[in-house]
Amino acid sequence: MRALIATYAWLLARLPEGFARANAAVLGLLLWALRRRVVRANLRAAFPGRDEAWVRRIGRLSCRRAAEMGLFSIVSPRLSAEEVRARVTVHASLLTGESRVTADVGGAVLFVPHFTLMEMMTAVTLAAPALGDRPWITLYRPLNQPAADAWVKAARERFGMRLASRREGFGQVMRNVREGGVSCILFDQKIQSGLRLTFLGRPAAVTNLPGLVAQRHRAAARIFWAERTGFWRCELRTAVLHQTGAAGLTRESNAWLEARLRSSDEACADWLWAHDRWRHGDAPWHDELGD
């Protein structure tokens, strides 16, 4: 399996970019074929005023970009540091102003939304060496195939980002924030247990884990995302979160994402609509998000 992944990665890296684009298009169509029922249902419910042509266009584009993200996780180890640096830029918001994540703000919790070039965020300290003076760690879900998991994990940790498995990494994330580091946590995935919050008009099961970490250590809280600027190209950005309690941070981060998805077709298509975030929102054991 590793030999196949390595060969495919070499082809993606060394052939003209059109080869990778074509692969993303084909794989995106496959994902659309497998998940179109979920994608269309999600988009229809979230945007009831949109017609079917819009739903189909945004859904297909989202699937193609999800494939683009997956291909980057494969090709990344075969790209030189210079090639990655040319594709990942850092917005001033990370380095200056109230949303900065420089060492002077102390321990920080970054709320990461599931946008389609999030794989490129692991190169943040390569793109901005000034941010590499303290440890970065992120929770991740290991892949079921060991060879693929080892390949992707090595790619994500290549430039200094440490990965902690969701199965046993919570303590590492907490300790890193307590010691002044930066911890990144996805906040908008489908989960089977959690708290209930209305998101895009429907109840969804949401995690308050990043809010709890920030609250416990009185840490700086930021939204951290990759804004797509082209194929395998992005600008890394941050936005400040003003709340301090776990419940308030959970609401604020989800409200930010909801506003972002409604802001433009481009932003909407950049989210992973193929996962059914609302699947567990009506489960009877969910509690409403408290104060």
Side-chain angles (χ1 to χ4, degrees):
M1 174 62 76
R2 182 178 176 81
L4 289 174
I5 297 173
T7 300
Y8 188 36
W10 186 88
L11 291 171
L12 290 170
R14 297 297 161 242
L15 292 179
E17 191 175 281
F19 175 75
R21 289 175 177 268
N23 277 251
V26 171
L27 293 172
L29 285 175
L30 178 59
L31 179 59
W32 170 254
L34 294 173
R35 300 289 293 173
R36 65 177 178 272
R37 181 177 297 179
V38 170
V39 174
R40 291 169 71 180
N42 287 341
L43 284 167
R44 285 171 181 160
F47 298 92
R50 297 288 191 167
D51 60 24
E52 186 61 27
W54 182 90
V55 168
R56 186 166 54 251
R57 178 173 63 84
I58 297 298
R60 287 178 173 175
L61 183 54
S62 175
C63 288
R64 184 162 72 245
R65 290 185 178 178
E68 177 185 342
M69 178 183 69
L71 291 179
F72 185 81
S73 68
I74 294 173
V75 74
S76 176
R78 291 294 180 261
L79 298 176
S80 68
E82 290 72 23
E83 288 174 309
V84 174
R85 190 183 292 112
R87 295 174 180 274
V88 181
T89 60
V90 170
H91 189 264
S93 58
L94 273 79
L95 301 169
T96 61
E98 66 174 359
S99 63
R100 70 191 184 281
V101 292
T102 47
D104 60 295
V105 304
V109 179
L110 304 189
F111 292 58
V112 178
H114 224 134
F115 290 149
T116 54
L117 285 182
M118 55 179 286
E119 290 288 340
M120 305 185 81
M121 295 165 64
T122 58
V124 59
T125 56
L126 172 71
L131 298 177
D133 57 355
R134 56 180 175 157
W136 288 63
I137 190 168
T138 185
L139 282 180
Y140 88 111
R141 177 183 297 168
L143 301 178
N144 293 329
Q145 214 293 326
D149 181 63
W151 182 275
V152 171
K153 187 173 186 293
R156 290 171 174 171
E157 293 186 327
R158 181 182 174 193
F159 301 114
M161 179 79 73
R162 287 169 39 223
L163 269 64
S165 168
R166 290 175 60 180
R167 297 166 187 162
E168 64 273 340
F170 179 64
Q172 297 178 51
V173 167
M174 294 284 285
R175 183 166 57 253
N176 187 52
V177 175
R178 183 174 66 246
E179 295 174 357
V182 180
S183 291
C184 306
I185 306 174
L186 283 165
F187 72 92
D188 62 341
Q189 288 183 305
K190 178 187 72 177
I191 59 174
Q192 294 183 0
S193 61
L195 301 172
R196 187 168 58 196
L197 183 71
T198 299
F199 180 71
L200 289 172
R202 286 186 292 162
V206 302
T207 178
N208 64 348
L209 175 59
L212 287 172
V213 176
Q215 175 182 287
R216 177 170 298 183
H217 298 292
R218 299 181 180 179
R222 309 282 188 263
I223 301 285
F224 179 43
W225 79 100
E227 185 162 313
R228 187 181 185 276
T229 57
F231 187 85
W232 286 350
R233 290 168 177 83
C234 70
E235 182 178 61
L236 304 182
R237 290 175 168 258
T238 52
V240 68
L241 291 172
H242 296 94
Q243 297 295 317
T244 56
L249 285 166
T250 303
R251 289 195 191 94
E252 187 180 5
S253 57
N254 280 274
W256 180 93
L257 178 58
E258 183 171 324
R260 173 80 182 174
L261 296 179
R262 295 189 185 280
S263 67
S264 70
D265 287 1
E266 177 68 20
C268 185
D270 214 34
W271 198 54
L272 296 182
W273 290 94
H275 70 233
D276 187 4
R277 193 185 183 197
W278 295 269
R279 181 176 179 181
H280 303 289
D282 292 318
W285 39 261
H286 285 274
D287 296 317
E288 292 287 351
L289 196 61
D291 295 326

